[in-house]
Amino acid sequence: MGQAPVVYGQSDRPPRGDYSRAQDDYTCAQDYAAYTEADHDTYRRLYARQKALLPGLASQAFIDALPSLGVEDRIPRFEDINQRLRQATGWEIVAVPGLIPEVPFFSLLANRKFPVTDWIRKPEEFDYVVEPDIFHDLFGHVPLLFNPVIADYVQRYGQGGLKAERLGACEMLSRLYWYTIEFGLIREQGEIRAYGAGILSSSGELQHAVTSPLPQRLPLSLERTMRTRYKIDTYQQTYFVIDDFQQLFDMTEGDFTPVYAALRGLPELAADARD
């Protein structure tokens, strides 16, 4: 029992999370009794701040789905969310101690299980936390798993990830996840709105992504997205915009093998490369 911690990117401190609790698939039980009143208060304040920012910036589909998380004033129990989520789309959330390797991650998604980090940031990290915590995962990701089209897209992404790993193309596919599920924008009634979890769970990036004149916002293109590197320590300088969620599902319907082969012959693009 127990797994090794996982590190993505560069950091000057070891990964957080007790990986000794992790099973072979990196999941663990949500240790609900371990949350302190300070932890619950941090969650409550984060939730209240982000919820207040959503109108006019977040996708209406996300706003409509947010109440499905349940309680707002304390960290929810995963089993309570799962009762509603399984009924809505056949998904469930599972606890993990932190970041997990690509293959277990893809495998969970392919089986309609979404990994949620079960620890929460410290009060001094209220505005920024290096690694995804329970607030980012729950508030940012889980509401749209109640949307049938997004639910199917995320499962299809997991299935594609397992194939990409065999083809040595995980980096290209990870960029698609980054620029859609984490930092995607959508056009609703002629206006730009956010649906990516990394945007929706960040007070600063939510406003930057939707209203700032600084970043470029490009129509989502599979090839352009897979060629574009990204930054994990600053606001994004490039965002990709979809017209509707069905576009994501349709885009992943084909075989990516020839796409990967074609892109290997092209140079990568910097995160701030301008079109």
Side-chain angles (χ1 to χ4, degrees), residues 200-222:
L200 293 166
S201 60
S202 166
S203 61
E205 185 125 13
L206 180 56
Q207 297 173 75
H208 170 82
V210 178
T211 65
S212 172
L214 297 177
Q216 65 174 339
R217 302 172 182 88
L218 306 175
L220 181 65
S221 157
L222 194 61

Side-chain angles (χ1 to χ4, degrees), residues 169-180:
C170 284
E171 179 60 30
M172 284 185 275
L173 193 65
S174 71
R175 293 169 184 165
L176 179 63
Y177 189 91
W178 185 265
Y179 284 117
T180 59

Side-chain angles (χ1 to χ4, degrees), residues 101-104 106-107 157-174 260 264:
E102 290 171 331
V103 171
F106 295 145
S107 297
Y157 180 89
Q159 294 166 340
L162 293 172
K163 184 173 183 179
E165 195 276 333
R166 296 193 297 269
L167 296 171
C170 284
E171 179 60 30
M172 284 185 275
L173 193 65
S174 71
Y260 298 146
R264 285 193 176 99

Side-chain angles (χ1 to χ4, degrees), residues 8-176:
Y8 291 108
Q10 295 183 342
S11 176
D12 59 0
R13 63 173 180 76
R16 196 176 313 182
D18 180 7
Y19 285 80
S20 68
R21 299 187 295 131
Q23 303 180 71
D24 290 344
D25 63 356
Y26 276 85
T27 64
C28 60
Q30 183 190 22
D31 189 2
Y32 198 83
Y35 299 130
T36 66
E37 284 306 312
D39 291 334
H40 288 299
D41 184 63
T42 296
Y43 184 89
R44 177 191 62 77
R45 292 187 297 118
L46 285 166
Y47 194 112
R49 180 179 69 172
Q50 288 307 115
K51 182 180 178 181
L53 292 173
L54 297 180
L57 297 175
S59 163
Q60 189 60 45
F62 178 86
I63 294 174
D64 291 344
L66 185 60
S68 298
L69 285 184
V71 295
E72 302 180 16
D73 61 346
R74 60 197 302 103
I75 298 169
R77 294 180 184 273
F78 291 0
E79 60 261 33
D80 293 341
I81 294 175
N82 281 337
Q83 288 181 359
R84 298 183 290 272
L85 186 55
R86 289 191 192 101
Q87 185 174 4
T89 59
W91 273 80
E92 64 179 295
I93 57 175
V94 292
V96 291
L99 294 170
I100 66 175
E102 290 171 331
V103 171
F105 178 70
F106 295 145
S107 297
L108 288 171
L109 297 187
N111 287 284
R112 294 178 94 87
K113 296 180 179 181
F114 195 88
V116 174
T117 301
D118 68 345
W119 54 260
I120 193 164
R121 69 194 72 181
K122 301 300 182 185
E124 60 269 22
E125 300 170 304
F126 190 80
D127 290 320
Y128 176 73
V129 63
V130 176
E131 299 163 58
D133 69 343
I134 191 172
F135 177 75
H136 165 83
D137 285 344
L138 278 184
F139 187 96
H141 284 287
V142 175
L144 282 181
L145 289 176
F146 284 86
N147 179 290
V149 179
I150 287 291
D152 288 347
Y153 168 66
V154 177
Q155 181 182 30
R156 182 171 282 181
Y157 180 89
Q159 294 166 340
L162 293 172
K163 184 173 183 179
E165 195 276 333
R166 296 193 297 269
L167 296 171
C170 284
E171 179 60 30
M172 284 185 275
L173 193 65
S174 71
R175 293 169 184 165
L176 179 63

Side-chain angles (χ1 to χ4, degrees), residues 252-272:
T252 53
E253 190 169 13
D255 181 8
F256 284 0
T257 304
V259 179
Y260 298 146
L263 293 182
R264 285 193 176 99
L266 298 174
E268 294 182 336
L269 298 173
D272 59 353

